[in-house]
Amino acid sequence: MTVNLALMCKSHNYKLDPYSNEYRVGNWVISQTRRKELIGGTVVLTESQSSPAYLGGRIVGFAPTTGGKCEVIFSEDPRAMGNTDAVKHRGWGSGRGVCYV
């Protein structure tokens, strides 16, 4: 499994839509161009820049929130749990909760 996007989500504040079995997470700054590129890719959620993924899956869409930010919508893939592709990855940057892997 190749990861395209990692999100630092310490509070585990994702939501599961019981009707679609898709997860929604966030209020992330991700450009419109990048959003288009990420559809169909893989996202993982981590507690820190140095911890493995605790949840993730295939990105199926984005929902706009306030201030140009968005929620990431994904369908779960159990293979994402424990993924370490984003651990200490240079894509995290300083003080960022979004990492492009």
Side-chain angles (χ1 to χ4, degrees):
M1 163 180 281
T2 301
V3 173
N4 305 100
L5 176 66
L7 302 172
M8 191 183 331
C9 189
K10 297 176 190 178
S11 61
H12 294 242
N13 63 345
Y14 52 84
K15 300 173 281 192
L16 175 62
D17 180 339
Y19 300 104
S20 68
N21 287 324
E22 293 173 342
Y23 286 88
R24 290 176 172 254
V25 63
N27 199 21
W28 308 102
V29 177
I30 301 173
S31 73
Q32 291 288 345
T33 302
R34 185 73 78 152
R35 293 178 200 181
K36 290 176 187 173
E37 294 169 355
L38 290 169
I39 296 290
T42 301
V43 61
V44 293
L45 306 184
T46 68
E47 291 182 343
S48 72
Q49 294 179 3
S50 60
S51 63
Y54 63 82
L55 182 66
R58 187 176 65 83
I59 301 169
V60 297
F62 295 88
T65 59
T66 59
K69 296 178 180 182
C70 66
E71 286 182 317
V72 178
I73 305 168
F74 65 96
S75 57
E76 184 180 11
D77 184 336
R79 298 176 298 165
M81 185 177 275
N83 182 287
T84 59
D85 288 358
V87 171
K88 298 186 180 179
H89 192 276
R90 70 186 189 301
W92 282 111
S94 179
R96 289 188 41 98
V98 175
C99 177
Y100 303 108
V101 183

